[in-house]
Amino acid sequence: MSKPLSDHERKKQISVRGLAGVENVTDLKTNFNRHLHFTLVKDRNVATKRDYYFALANTVRDHLIGRWIRTQQHYYEKDPKRVYYISLEFYMGRTLQNTMVNLALENACDEATYQLGLDMEELEDMEEDAGLGNGGLGRLAACFLDSMASLGMAAYGYGIRYEFGIFNQKIVSGWQVEEADDWLRYGNPWEKARPEYMRPVQFYGRVEHHPDGVKWVDTQVVLALPYDTPIPGYRNNIVNTMRLWSAKAPCEFNLKDFNVGGYIQAVLDRNLAENISRVLYPNDNFFEGKELRLKQEYFVVAATLQDIVRRFKVSKFGSREIVRTDFTTLPDKVAIQLNDTHPAMAIPELMRVLVDEEKVPWEKAWDICVHTCAYTNHTVLPEALERWPIDLFQNLLPRHLEIIYEINKRHLERVAAKYPGDVDRLRRMSLIEEGPNKRVNMAHLCIVGSHAINGVARIHSDILKAGLFKDFYEMDPHKFQNKTNGITPRRWLVMCNPGLAEVIAERIGEDFVRDLDQLKGLLKFINDDAFIRDVANVKQENKLKFAVHLQEHYKVAINPNSMFDLQVKRIHEYKRQLLNCLHIITYYNRIKKEPNKNWTPRTIMIGGKAAPGYHTAKMIIRLITAIGDIVNHDPIVGDRLKVIFLENYRVTLAEKAIPAADLSEQISTAGTEASGTGNMKFMLNGALTIGTMDGANVEMAEEAGEENLFIFGMRVEEVDAMDAKGYHASEYYNRIPELKQAIDQIAGGFFSPKQPDLFKDIVNMLMHHDRFKVFADYEDYIKCQEKVNALYKNPKEWTKKVIHNIAGCGKFSSDRTIAQYAREIWGVEPSWEKIPAPDEGR
């Protein structure tokens, strides 16, 4: 296969990549060579590709530093309300290209490296992904940081600097194998350690009550060492900060207990403290109640709140003296957003700081706390909700447990006053779940301790109010909001799909990158043959480029004229990769039955990681690879159907795969996917969606026109009705011959001839305890896929639907999402104004 044009001269024509002025290019070359010179030590005269990458990264970083300092100075002088987005996950991916896009340096850097005889794309490929997240929740946090900077908000992302991020996935003999993600092995040019802001964090110990207040004593101390990463806004000279904490043992650690085995052992035991920031828990939508995880959650919250309070107290620029001592104004100067319940400890910790340390009376402290904090819920799946055992708390954070009890006491008094005699409501609404082993319900803590609670898509927010949090909604309806998720168009269009961005810019100008609603202007061109052709050509180029990538990395040859059908997301029963498998098998059986029919060729790609302890998810991967082994080697099928498992799906692979997709699979059981954001990325990049009325799919259909998506399956009301009456898989199995055939093939070893019973657990689950009702949507899904095949045979009509979808994407910019959080929750105004660059006058 010939390589598609990735040709330097053509890239220079792409205006969204920025101008390559002569002086600019000359300066970049000078700085590049300077960095390269300092990178190379005297015993090494030959530069490696990695040396060149670091030289380029440091050259680009130089352009951030002045803006970063100027921005923080600007905030000190203006003293705006600050927003603190606290998250246990930030799934950032690579930084170099995104920084060049936001600083309009891409063409200049390309030209400079070209003149130095280097290929910039090859250098970009040296960068490790910052994989400090599992999936949607962590990637959302990353998109939000980009939007907050682009909207000129004084915002900070706070999290943990995990030494090991999400594991790298290898497929070995069809099975997932995990390996550690040692992403910091060669160093990280984008972070700056800030030891001067190191903070102590306390664990364990006991509580003493004195007349003059409460003391938490005999604690173990771990130090939190901050690392700052610059977050550039889109071409507005704003650079915000993401601050990630790393755990460090204090110098005295364990040495006072020299009797426990001596000096050497004491030094070795420092690892125990430093393990807190060692590794990201690899669970998506699943709660694992481990002590180390609770330590991580408290660690990030305790360190961050010390930072928040310090910054609140010394607002004057260049001054270390305390200016504010009255905490009444905290909610006017600080907004804290909790990304799911993982940072819920911020609520009792803020109360501890105010009441125990700052001596604020409880009622006043509580009022401050509630008006400062807000909570975003990300899931309704019961197994994902955090419910911590009380004895774990008692041991690790005794003072916080007391505070939670006090919060609960006052909360239940308020409930009892409003609903006298309703004891069952008291039980349901308590922060403490009674029973043989009592637990703290962290979602209830977040609701009671926040002034705003939001879901992440309209249908999800409605489900929260009608279901999971119904009692709380009835008591405080004003607290509940919706904030439909969004994605940053910088990374997810301009950066990953410059060809499409350029075709759009040629028609409606470049301003859509800042104001994605302007994409509606493409509807004028819906019948413009030249535009239709341009959109189709960009898609074909992206497919060719991705086909080459697959050839190089997976040694699989694919038909670039086939429909690229993608389902990429974490592997989970609720996301129903198994429904996709049943369609693959059905389509395979149909081709085998009538091999001479004119079938629409498809390359079906499924990718995603399974949590290491999630047996069913790992079996689903094994099934997908097994189906591929049979289908891909069947000469009768040829290149009309190929099945590929995309190994090690991550941000950087998404950036390559999504622009190449024709069909996006968003097929969760209605009512289970809170929002989804991959769905939006596919829509923006010119794929059509086959999906259920779940999460943001509902709003996508509303924006683009339901006739421009392939919607199928039960709606939430029908799922609820089926739950009430009972779901019986066997009824579908016995009634639908093609479904029975597919299940019998899986069960009988057709796809695992050497181990005929390999998939017995999956078949047993589907037949007898499938919470997500795969068979109930099978028939409608297959019919819907037939409509997809028919339309794909008419490229012009297909592309018109694509244009309708792109034009309907405006709502799904994270800029819109963040503007709504800002105005409706945080009480700050977004601003599109540029601040002066460091080299311009003030």
Side-chain angles (χ1 to χ4, degrees):
M1 195 183 294
S2 63
K3 284 211 174 194
L5 306 164
S6 74
D7 131 36
H8 175 73
E9 286 307 312
R10 205 188 59 203
K11 277 193 198 158
K12 285 203 320 205
Q13 309 309 310
I14 298 181
S15 61
V16 290
R17 290 163 56 95
L19 295 168
V22 180
E23 330 71 48
N24 212 349
V25 172
T26 309
D27 284 351
L28 286 168
K29 283 161 69 179
T30 306
N31 288 325
F32 180 92
N33 282 319
R34 181 171 55 86
H35 279 296
L36 189 62
H37 175 76
F38 287 117
T39 303
L40 292 177
V41 283
K42 54 184 175 298
D43 56 299
R44 213 153 48 84
N45 296 115
V46 189
T48 64
K49 201 178 287 182
R50 180 165 285 105
D51 293 322
Y52 291 128
Y53 159 69
F54 276 106
L56 178 57
N58 284 308
T59 303
V60 170
R61 185 172 157 274
D62 289 342
H63 287 255
L64 282 170
I65 302 302
R67 290 176 172 88
W68 200 4
I69 293 166
R70 169 72 65 97
T71 301
Q72 300 311 311
Q73 220 165 3
H74 173 77
Y75 291 154
Y76 259 122
E77 290 159 11
K78 288 262 191 293
D79 192 31
K81 183 169 182 178
R82 288 172 159 85
V83 173
Y84 295 96
Y85 195 86
I86 311 182
S87 180
L88 269 281
E89 303 185 19
F90 287 94
Y91 203 171
M92 303 294 285
R94 289 175 176 168
T95 296
L96 175 58
Q97 194 186 356
N98 183 247
T99 303
M100 293 189 295
V101 165
N102 280 11
L103 297 185
L105 283 172
E106 214 176 354
N107 267 332
C109 287
D110 209 347
E111 185 58 35
T113 49
Y114 180 74
Q115 289 181 19
L116 292 167
L118 298 165
D119 176 351
M120 189 163 80
E121 257 190 76
E122 281 187 18
L123 302 190
E124 289 168 347
D125 262 335
M126 298 303 298
E127 184 174 358
E128 300 273 0
D129 272 44
L132 307 185
N134 278 287
L137 172 149
R139 183 53 236 175
L140 185 77
C143 284
F144 280 3
L145 293 183
D146 180 88
S147 286
M148 289 186 293
S150 297
L151 293 181
M153 294 167 50
Y156 302 77
Y158 272 91
I160 295 177
R161 180 181 177 267
Y162 300 109
E163 197 176 321
F164 296 93
I166 188 65
F167 61 86
N168 285 312
Q169 178 192 57
K170 290 266 194 294
I171 301 298
V172 179
S173 324
W175 297 93
Q176 167 176 299
V177 175
E178 303 88 21
E179 60 179 38
D181 165 43
D182 194 5
W183 71 291
L184 294 168
R185 182 172 49 232
Y186 299 106
N188 173 8
W190 306 107
E191 69 181 8
K192 174 83 185 79
R194 307 298 301 277
E196 66 274 27
Y197 291 116
M198 190 130 55
R199 301 274 169 255
V201 175
Q202 300 179 278
F203 294 102
Y204 304 109
R206 55 194 175 79
V207 182
E208 290 179 350
H209 292 261
H210 300 281
D212 59 329
V214 180
K215 290 198 169 62
W216 180 18
V217 298
D218 295 337
T219 54
Q220 290 184 22
V221 173
V222 177
L223 300 176
L225 169 63
Y227 286 77
D228 287 357
T229 299
I231 306 291
Y234 182 71
R235 301 184 188 184
N236 62 356
N237 295 317
I238 297 268
V239 180
N240 283 346
T241 302
M242 173 177 67
R243 176 163 285 182
L244 302 181
W245 301 100
S246 185
K248 198 103 180 72
C251 293
E252 333 79 78
F253 187 78
N254 256 9
L255 288 177
K256 52 188 178 306
D257 325 319
F258 57 88
N259 55 330
V260 299
Y263 163 73
I264 295 290
Q265 195 54 46
V267 173
L268 297 185
D269 285 347
R270 293 167 61 85
N271 277 316
L272 272 42
E274 295 172 0
N275 276 338
I276 290 173
S277 56
R278 195 79 68 204
V279 60
L280 168 74
Y281 271 83
N283 303 317
D284 188 74
N285 275 297
F286 183 76
F287 171 61
E288 184 177 2
K290 293 282 193 282
E291 183 181 48
L292 181 61
R293 171 66 174 196
L294 184 55
K295 275 188 179 169
Q296 289 180 338
E297 293 183 354
Y298 179 65
F299 174 76
V300 65
V301 149
T304 300
L305 274 166
Q306 291 180 65
D307 238 16
I308 292 174
V309 168
R310 171 187 59 79
R311 219 176 263 123
F312 170 74
K313 285 180 172 179
V314 307
S315 61
K316 259 198 337 225
F317 178 63
S319 148
R320 284 275 175 273
E321 71 190 272
I322 290 177
V323 189
R324 293 199 185 97
T325 47
D326 179 9
F327 282 89
T328 315
T329 60
L330 190 79
D332 304 325
K333 286 295 170 189
V334 170
I336 295 174
Q337 191 67 36
L338 307 176
N339 194 25
D340 213 313
T341 56
H342 312 149
M345 289 304 297
I347 292 165
E349 173 66 5
L350 181 54
M351 287 300 287
R352 187 189 68 81
V353 170
L354 292 176
V355 174
D356 294 0
E357 294 181 3
E358 303 291 342
K359 308 299 181 200
V360 179
W362 181 281
E363 288 76 10
K364 187 175 166 189
W366 182 244
D367 189 60
I368 291 166
C369 179
V370 170
H371 284 97
T372 302
C373 296
Y375 157 57
T376 301
N377 172 274
H378 284 271
T379 183
V380 296
L381 294 179
E383 64 269 34
L385 300 177
E386 293 197 295
R387 293 153 58 247
W388 288 103
I390 243 104
D391 45 14
L392 203 62
F393 253 102
Q394 184 61 260
N395 183 36
L396 190 69
L397 299 167
R399 177 56 181 150
H400 296 77
L401 185 58
E402 289 186 350
I403 289 168
I404 288 167
Y405 281 147
E406 182 65 24
I407 293 169
N408 195 40
K409 175 174 156 289
R410 292 167 182 251
H411 158 62
L412 291 180
E413 281 167 5
R414 191 178 155 236
V415 177
K418 190 157 184 191
Y419 306 96
D422 193 342
V423 290
D424 199 56
R425 187 180 292 259
L426 285 175
R427 180 190 57 75
R428 293 195 310 266
M429 294 183 75
S430 177
L431 309 192
I432 310 295
E433 296 181 358
E434 299 295 339
N437 30 7
K438 303 197 335 188
R439 293 172 173 268
V440 181
N441 184 312
M442 301 306 270
H444 291 183
L445 174 62
C446 286
I447 295 168
V448 171
S450 299
H451 69 280
I453 296 106
N454 73 281
V456 290
R458 191 205 306 135
I459 187 177
H460 168 60
S461 298
D462 288 345
I463 287 169
L464 292 181
K465 293 187 290 193
L468 193 60
F469 301 150
K470 179 170 186 283
D471 294 324
F472 293 91
Y473 174 65
E474 286 172 2
M475 191 155 93
D476 291 310
H478 60 276
K479 281 191 178 188
F480 288 80
Q481 304 190 19
N482 172 244
K483 297 286 169 279
T484 300
N485 283 163
I487 56 172
T488 170
R490 273 73 65 180
R491 183 176 294 265
W492 296 111
L493 180 57
V494 177
M495 186 184 120
C496 72
N497 202 343
L500 181 57
E502 188 60 14
V503 164
I504 294 168
E506 281 167 4
R507 302 313 196 285
I508 63 169
E510 271 182 58
D511 241 22
F512 70 90
V513 182
R514 263 192 203 84
D515 176 15
L516 208 62
D517 279 319
Q518 292 184 24
L519 290 178
K520 284 187 177 63
L522 294 175
L523 291 175
K524 292 200 294 285
F525 303 95
I526 197 80
N527 294 306
D528 178 326
D529 286 340
F531 183 59
I532 292 169
R533 189 193 57 233
D534 285 350
V535 170
N537 284 345
V538 166
K539 179 61 71 181
Q540 201 49 43
E541 278 173 30
N542 291 337
K543 288 174 71 172
L544 279 165
K545 186 166 183 181
F546 192 55
V548 167
H549 174 81
L550 288 177
Q551 189 111 60
E552 286 174 0
H553 290 79
Y554 303 97
K555 313 283 175 259
V556 277
I558 58 177
N559 171 10
N561 300 312
S562 64
M563 183 198 310
F564 283 15
D565 168 348
L566 270 77
Q567 186 179 21
V568 286
K569 49 188 72 231
R570 287 294 291 257
I571 310 294
H572 202 298
E573 288 160 84
Y574 86 83
K575 294 176 187 281
R576 297 202 295 190
Q577 282 91 356
L578 286 172
L579 183 58
N580 195 343
C581 289
L582 291 179
H583 169 251
I584 297 172
I585 296 170
T586 303
Y587 199 48
Y588 171 75
N589 288 334
R590 288 181 178 186
I591 295 171
K592 292 279 282 187
K593 196 175 172 189
E594 300 183 79
N596 298 320
K597 222 175 127 182
N598 179 24
W599 300 102
T600 306
R602 286 207 192 203
T603 302
I604 301 173
M605 302 180 232
I606 304 177
K609 291 171 183 175
Y614 188 176
H615 172 254
T616 306
K618 290 187 145 179
M619 287 310 301
I620 291 169
I621 291 175
R622 186 64 190 91
L623 178 62
I624 296 162
T625 58
I627 293 169
D629 285 338
I630 298 296
V631 170
N632 298 347
H633 298 108
D634 192 321
I636 295 169
V637 174
D639 66 359
R640 293 179 290 187
L641 180 59
K642 289 279 184 246
V643 179
I644 292 166
F645 186 83
L646 293 174
E647 193 176 296
N648 203 28
Y649 181 66
R650 59 200 186 283
V651 173
T652 294
L653 187 54
E655 291 162 2
K656 295 171 171 40
I658 290 171
D662 292 306
L663 186 67
S664 160
E665 302 263 359
Q666 307 296 336
I667 58 179
S668 53
T669 312
T672 63
E673 189 72 89
S675 167
T677 45
N679 47 2
M680 302 167 188
K681 292 164 194 173
F682 282 107
M683 183 182 186
L684 184 57
N685 282 278
L688 296 185
T689 301
I690 183 168
T692 51
M693 277 297 201
D694 198 17
N697 297 356
V698 178
E699 290 160 81
M700 286 162 52
E702 196 173 289
E703 296 296 303
E706 194 172 329
E707 68 282 4
N708 295 310
L709 282 78
F710 297 97
I711 298 290
F712 74 94
M714 297 180 289
R715 308 305 197 252
V716 165
E717 299 72 30
E718 299 171 85
V719 174
D720 289 343
M722 185 170 288
D723 280 328
K725 106 172 188 310
Y727 163 68
H728 303 289
S730 56
E731 291 172 12
Y732 300 92
Y733 172 84
N734 290 318
R735 184 171 57 74
I736 307 164
E738 285 185 303
L739 173 59
K740 181 177 191 300
Q741 180 187 8
I743 293 297
D744 290 350
Q745 286 171 308
I746 296 170
F750 181 88
F751 297 105
S752 54
K754 291 181 181 156
Q755 271 179 278
D757 65 347
L758 182 59
F759 301 116
K760 65 172 189 304
D761 288 357
I762 284 187
V763 172
N764 180 51
M765 182 273 289
L766 286 172
M767 293 295 295
H768 303 294
H769 32 86
D770 174 12
R771 295 164 59 203
F772 303 105
K773 307 176 179 63
V774 170
F775 292 2
D777 278 341
Y778 169 83
E779 227 171 348
D780 202 15
Y781 181 53
I782 300 295
K783 286 202 185 93
C784 199
Q785 290 282 20
E786 290 166 13
K787 291 183 196 157
V788 175
N789 283 335
L791 186 67
Y792 194 75
K793 289 199 168 87
N794 184 343
K796 187 169 178 180
E797 288 308 307
W798 179 278
T799 305
K800 280 189 178 185
K801 282 200 194 287
V802 164
I803 294 165
H804 273 289
N805 274 268
I806 297 171
C809 271
K811 177 177 184 176
F812 306 108
S813 168
S814 47
D815 296 344
R816 184 270 317 153
T817 311
I818 286 299
Q820 287 184 327
Y821 276 96
R823 295 188 176 117
E824 299 164 25
I825 297 180
W826 303 330
V828 304
E829 242 335 279
S831 150
W832 278 264
E833 81 173 294
K834 273 177 92 155
I835 65 168
D839 48 2
E840 298 167 28
R842 306 295 296 269

